[in-house]
Each structure stands twice: as C-alpha cells, then as structure tokens.
C-alpha cells in the first residue's frame, strides 16, 4: 500500500435538507446558506460542493454580469472561511426548459438552454477556483423507450460535452452515473458508460467520473469494484459516499448505514490506490432521515465521516498477509469469517 492517505472531506448545501419527500412536506424549518457554511466549518469539513444555483440562486433570472458578481462575492466568503469549492454542477433538472431532458431533449431550444447554462456553470467554477464540473445527467434518459432514439441521444451528449470542453481549455467534466430516478432509464447508468462516452469527446483526458455508492447499488453493481474500475483509468475525480438498502428510491443514507462490509470494501479500494493524494475530496452525498429532528440535523454528516475514518483504521489494521495465505489456499470460508471478525473487532 502507498503511504497513508490523509483525506479531506466535503458536502453540499443540499445535504442539509429539510425532509420533504413526494408524499409529505418538510419536517425541519429551512436554514440559510450562511448557517450551512458555518456548520460545514464547525464539523471540520474542508470543502463545499455547489450546484450552479446553490452558488448563484435564481440563476436563470440573472444577467451574466450579475452572475459573475455574485460568484465573486461567494468566493470572497469562502476564502474568508478557509473553505474550498470542490466542484460546481449545472442543476439541469428543475427548469421548465428541461422537462424532457437537457442535452438530450427532443426540443432544440431546450438543448441550447442546457448547453448555455452549462457554460455559465463553468464560468462560476472558474470564479470559485475549481476546475471540476460534475454532471449528474438526471433527465437524460427516457420514461418510455420510444420517446427518444438512444444513438441520437449519445451524439447529443457528446455535442454538449464538446461545447463545455471548448468553452474552457482547463475544465474537467466528472460524469456522475445513476441508472434510474428520476427517469425510468438513464443513458449513462454506470461508470463503464461514463468512461466509454468520454472517448467520443474532443478531449477524453478531461472527461472522467464521480462514483456515488448508492447509484452503483441501484445499478446492481458493487461500489468498490466501480471505484477500482474508475481508478484503474485514472478517472475517479470525485466520490459521493453514502448507502442504499437495495433497489428502492435513492436513499442517500449515511455511509455504512446499510452495509458496513461494503463500506469497508470501498475504503479498502481508496486506500489501495491512494485516492485523495491527487487532491480529490471524499464527499458525503447523504441526507438526514425524514424523521430527524432539527437538533440532530448534522448527525448524518458527522456520522458518515466518523464511520469512514473508523473504516480507514480497519483497512490499515487488516491482516493482509494472513488474508493472502488464505487466498493462496483457496480457503474463502476462513477469509469470509476473518473479514467479519475484523469488522466486529
Ligand atoms: C442525485 C445526486 C446529486 C448529484 C449532484 O442522485 O446524487 O445530488 O450528486 O448533482
Ligand atoms: Mn451524488
């Protein structure tokens, strides 16, 4: 293993959510951005993730000049607090223009809106001092197979990525795959799809990936294998650790909440390949349970980080030589129990 990593952590303002779900209203009163920033610092996190409209609220109603001025003001505040911006992501799933998708919409005006907005997002990333734009391709998919032609949608995705890469010669795009929700089927459901489509763009070296544990699980895949796949290509540029109990709605549970062993495997993979040593952050894309009281509002983030750090200790203390001997003897029964007992302490 390389020399021990030190990890740096981040989350986004949306991770301090208020508990609304499709069946009921919020369960906690809203808190403003300043409060969220203060909590992030208090919890000892080093960076914040942003959607473009987290950085510049009501972005669609503002002029380019106003967007630049607000982003600069935010950058001053972040600098004042010693907090970095990890990434900026265009929120292309809220606006009326993107009802049928952004980059893959059947409406050319909607596609243009999505590209223009993504360019603004890149400008904001530049001002906030990050070269990373995350693309969760939320509505780039179908509710029914006949609504769009898949090959044409792939071409449109590549066109959009190319427009972003051309807009700024330094920006890197990290695709965050998710197989479903809000769509029935997404066009880029796995890390394999993300890294493959990168090769159709004008600059594949600047198109990489972000893995979210829950999204891998929703695709029926193992998050640690997905992590190692992206790392093998040098393309794991960000990470959303969380947990998910089977094939249900996207749960964004605290890291390790459902499957501690899978969480351990994910940490082992990160340790093995020195994740973080090239400046990458560990982000927790977790939400409080709807039942969470306001006074316990930060626990899911603090707990995810605590669990992560405990699992780093577990990964470093793992008897790899003992495991290797069992592997050589094909004694996987004993290996299985060894892992369980290691985790049980
Ligand atoms: C959605 C999701 C998003 C992205 C950021 O499932 O994970 O929060 O991480 O746009
Ligand atoms: Mn995410």
């Amino acid at each position: 293993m390389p020399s021990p990593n030190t990890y740096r952590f981040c989350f986004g303002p949306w991770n301090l959510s208020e508990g609304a779900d499709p069946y009921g209203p919020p369960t906690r009163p809203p808190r403003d951005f300043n409060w969220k920033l203060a909590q992030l610092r208090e919890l000892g996190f080093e960076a914040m993730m942003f959607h473009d409209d987290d950085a510049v609220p009501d972005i669609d109603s503002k002029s380019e000049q106003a967007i630049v001025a607000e982003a600069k003001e935010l950058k001053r505040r972040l600098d004042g607090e010693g907090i970095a911006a990890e990434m900026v992501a265009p929120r292309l799933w809220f606006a009326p223009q993107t009802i049928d998708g952004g980059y893959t919409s059947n409406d050319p005006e909607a596609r243009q809106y999505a590209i223009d907005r993504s360019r603004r997002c890149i400008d904001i990333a530049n001002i906030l001092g990050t070269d990373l734009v995350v693309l969760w391709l939320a509505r780039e998919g179908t509710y029914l197979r006949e609504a769009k032609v898949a090959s044409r949608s792939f071409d449109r995705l590549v066109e959009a990525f190319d427009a972003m890469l051309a807009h700024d010669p330094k920006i890197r795009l990290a695709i965050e795959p998710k197989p479903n929700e809000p769509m029935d089927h997404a066009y880029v459901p796995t890390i394999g799809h993300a890294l493959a489509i990168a090769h159709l763009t004008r600059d594949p070296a600047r198109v990489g990936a972000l893995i979210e544990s829950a999204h891998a699980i929703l695709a029926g895949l193992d998050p640690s294998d997905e992590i190692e796949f992206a790392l093998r290509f040098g393309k794991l540029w960000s990470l959303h650790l969380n947990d998910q109990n089977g094939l249900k709605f996207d749960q964004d549970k605290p890291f390790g909440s459902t499957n501690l062993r899978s969480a351990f495997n994910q940490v082992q993979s990160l340790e093995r390949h020195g994740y973080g040593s090239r400046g990458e952050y560990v982000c927790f894309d977790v939400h409080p349970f709807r039942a969470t009281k306001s006074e316990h509002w930060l626990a899911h983030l603090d707990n995810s980080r605590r669990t992560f750090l405990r699992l780093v200790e577990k990964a470093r203390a793992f008897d790899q030589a003992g495991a290797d001997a069992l592997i050589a003897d094909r004694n996987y029964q004993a290996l299985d129990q060894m892992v369980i007992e290691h985790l049980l302490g």
Side-chain angles (χ1 to χ4, degrees):
M1 270 191 195
S3 62
N5 302 332
T6 40
Y7 293 100
R8 295 182 303 166
F9 300 96
C10 72
F11 64 81
W14 66 91
N15 296 120
L16 292 169
S17 52
E18 288 127 30
D21 70 15
Y23 306 96
T27 55
R28 295 173 290 275
R31 304 302 299 255
D32 65 14
F33 177 75
N34 289 336
W35 182 83
K36 293 181 179 182
L37 189 60
Q39 307 314 304
L40 183 130
R41 259 189 66 97
E42 193 83 351
L43 286 174
F45 283 63
E46 285 93 348
M48 193 173 241
M49 316 187 262
F50 290 94
H51 292 112
D52 52 0
D53 58 357
D54 293 323
V56 180
D58 303 318
I59 189 167
D60 280 333
S61 69
K62 290 177 180 161
S63 68
E64 230 169 291
Q65 254 181 332
I67 292 171
V68 167
E70 279 193 41
K72 284 186 175 166
E73 173 54 28
L74 173 60
K75 171 69 171 149
R76 266 192 293 277
R77 280 164 68 196
L78 293 175
D79 285 348
E81 301 277 353
I83 299 294
E86 193 248 353
M87 63 84 167
V88 186
R91 199 197 299 268
L92 287 177
W93 50 94
F94 255 70
Q97 293 92 327
T98 60
I99 287 173
D100 187 33
Y103 311 132
T104 65
S105 172
N106 284 320
D107 174 355
E109 279 180 28
R111 295 201 298 276
Q112 194 57 50
Y113 164 83
I115 290 176
D116 289 344
R117 180 147 169 186
S118 303
R119 291 195 187 108
R120 296 293 80 76
C121 178
I122 292 171
D123 299 341
I124 294 171
N126 268 318
I127 293 167
L128 296 188
T130 175
D131 66 351
L132 196 62
V133 159
V134 166
L135 300 174
W136 171 43
L137 302 168
R139 296 197 191 278
E140 315 301 354
T142 52
Y143 299 106
L144 60 154
R145 193 51 60 253
E146 298 82 3
K148 293 178 185 175
V149 176
S151 55
R152 197 162 61 206
S153 293
F154 296 129
D155 289 344
R156 286 175 174 165
L157 286 172
V158 172
E159 256 170 58
F161 300 159
D162 279 349
M164 288 181 247
L165 294 167
H167 184 67
D168 180 322
K170 284 192 296 296
I171 207 77
R172 293 178 300 145
L173 309 177
I175 300 174
E176 180 179 353
K178 180 177 178 181
N180 63 299
E181 202 202 29
M183 308 309 291
D184 183 13
H185 285 278
Y187 283 126
V188 184
T190 71
I191 272 316
H193 289 79
L195 298 192
I197 206 163
H199 281 275
L200 296 178
T201 67
R202 57 186 281 150
D203 193 357
R206 288 195 288 137
V207 184
L210 180 164
I211 289 175
E212 174 162 325
S213 326
H215 296 178
I217 295 164
L218 285 168
L221 298 169
D222 180 83
S224 64
D225 284 356
E226 291 287 274
I227 285 171
E228 298 232 6
F229 188 79
L231 284 167
R232 178 63 186 80
F233 288 82
K235 293 280 194 144
L236 188 62
W237 296 343
S238 187
L239 190 61
H240 286 182
L241 295 181
N242 57 15
D243 214 345
Q244 169 75 25
N245 189 10
L247 302 182
K248 300 188 175 111
F249 62 93
D250 187 3
Q251 296 179 313
D252 293 327
K253 287 181 146 190
F255 183 55
S257 166
T258 299
N259 190 336
L260 202 53
R261 185 167 179 171
S262 165
F264 171 64
N265 296 150
Q266 291 170 64
V267 171
Q268 271 189 314
S269 296
L270 300 174
E271 282 280 292
R272 199 175 283 136
H273 297 282
Y275 181 83
S277 59
R278 292 160 294 269
E280 313 93 326
Y281 286 87
V282 171
C283 311
F284 296 111
D285 198 356
V286 293
H287 285 266
F289 303 122
R290 186 165 193 265
T292 300
K293 295 180 192 167
S294 291
E295 60 262 43
H296 308 142
W297 205 339
L298 306 174
H300 62 304
L301 289 158
D302 196 33
N303 291 346
S304 292
R305 184 164 164 271
R306 285 165 64 102
T307 303
F308 179 89
L309 290 170
R310 291 287 297 275
L311 289 173
V312 169
E313 284 169 23
K314 286 282 177 191
R316 290 179 185 170
F318 186 64
D319 176 11
Q320 192 58 52
D324 288 344
L326 296 174
I327 292 164
D329 187 33
R330 214 178 72 202
N331 191 349
Y332 296 165
Q333 292 299 152
L335 178 63
D336 185 33
Q337 191 61 17
M338 179 188 164
V339 173
I340 290 171
E341 292 193 9
H342 183 67
L343 289 176
L344 289 173

